[in-house]
C-alpha cells in the first residue's frame, strides 16, 4: 500500500498520481494529492483503480484537477470490484468520485466541496455512476453536491444511496425506464 505522503501532481503526465492496475488487496491511506489548474499536467485523476479488486482508499485529501473539465477526476474506478472509498475529503475537484464498470463497491463518509466544472459557474456532482456495469454499489453517509447516474455509456443497476447529505434530487429524478433497482433512502 501507499501511506502518509504528499503528492504534487503539477507536472505529471501519468494517468493518475496513484494507479492500482491489475491489483488486489492494496490501499492508499493518509494521502494528500494536489493538482494546480493549468500547470501543463496531463493527469486524469488523483487515484485510479483499474482492473482491480479489494482496494481501499481512506483518510486522504484531494485538491484540484488538471483542467476542471471532462477526464478530471478525484478517485476513478474502472473494471473494479469489492473496493472501499471511505473518509476522504475532495476540494475543488471536478468529479470527486467517477465510477465506471464497478461492482460491489462501498463509497462511504466522504466529503466534497467546490466541485466545479469549467469557469467555476457549474457545480459537478460528487459521485457519478458513469458506465454500464456499475452494479450493487453502496453510497452511504457522503456529504457533497449530488449523486448522478447517467446513460451515456449504459445504465447502472441495483445501487443504493443511503444517509447521504447535501445531495440534489438528480439521482432519483434521472432514473430512466431501462434502469432497475435504484434505492434512495434517508438522504437529505
Amino acid at each position: 500500500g501507499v501511506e502518509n505522503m504528499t503528492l504534487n501532481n503539477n507536472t505529471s503526465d501519468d494517468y493518475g498520481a496513484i494507479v492500482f492496475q491489475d491489483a488486489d488487496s492494496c490501499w492508499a491511506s493518509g494521502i494528500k494529492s494536489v493538482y494546480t489548474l493549468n500547470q501543463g499536467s496531463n493527469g486524469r485523476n488523483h487515484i485510479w483503480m483499474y482492473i482491480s479488486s479489494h482496494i481501499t482508499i481512506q483518510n486522504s485529501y484531494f485538491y484540484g484537477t488538471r483542467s476542471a473539465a471532462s477526464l478530471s477526476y478525484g478517485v476513478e474506478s474502472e473494471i473494479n470490484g469489492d473496493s472501499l472509498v471511505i473518509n476522504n475529503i475532495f476540494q475543488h475537484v471536478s468529479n470527486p468520485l467517477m465510477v465506471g464498470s464497478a461492482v460491489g463497491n462501498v463509497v462511504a463518509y466522504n466529503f466534497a466541496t467546490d466541485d466545479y466544472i469549467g469557469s467555476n459557474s457549474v457545480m459537478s456532482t460528487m459521485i457519478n455512476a458513469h458506465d454500464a456495469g456499475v452494479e450493487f454499489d453502496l453510497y452511504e453517509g457522503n456529504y457533497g453536491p449530488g449523486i448522478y447516474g447517467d446513460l451515456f455509456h449504459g445504465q447502472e443497476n441495483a445501487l443504493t444511496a443511503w444517509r447521504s447529505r447535501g445531495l440534489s434530487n438528480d439521482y432519483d429524478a434521472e432514473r430512466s425506464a431501462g434502469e432497475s433497482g435504484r434505492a434512495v433512502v434517508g438522504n437529505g
Side-chain angles (χ1 to χ4, degrees), residues 105-107 127 135-142 147 156-164 171 181-187:
N105 295 303
V106 175
V107 175
I127 302 170
E135 299 175 332
F136 307 108
D137 284 356
L138 170 64
Y139 308 137
E140 177 182 348
N142 296 290
I147 297 173
E156 76 280 346
N157 294 294
L159 304 180
T160 300
W162 184 47
R163 296 189 316 176
S164 293
Y171 190 62
R182 190 185 280 177
V184 181
V185 181
N187 299 290

Side-chain angles (χ1 to χ4, degrees), residues 4 12 44 48 63 76 80 87 95 100 111 122 132 153 159 177:
N4 304 323
S12 171
R44 176 183 172 119
W48 198 7
Y63 180 86
E76 180 180 9
N80 176 65
N87 194 38
N95 288 292
F111 176 82
V122 177
H153 302 291
L159 304 180

Side-chain angles (χ1 to χ4, degrees), residues 115-124:
D115 303 340
Y116 74 104
I117 291 181
S119 64
N120 294 331
S121 62
V122 177
M123 191 67 67
S124 176

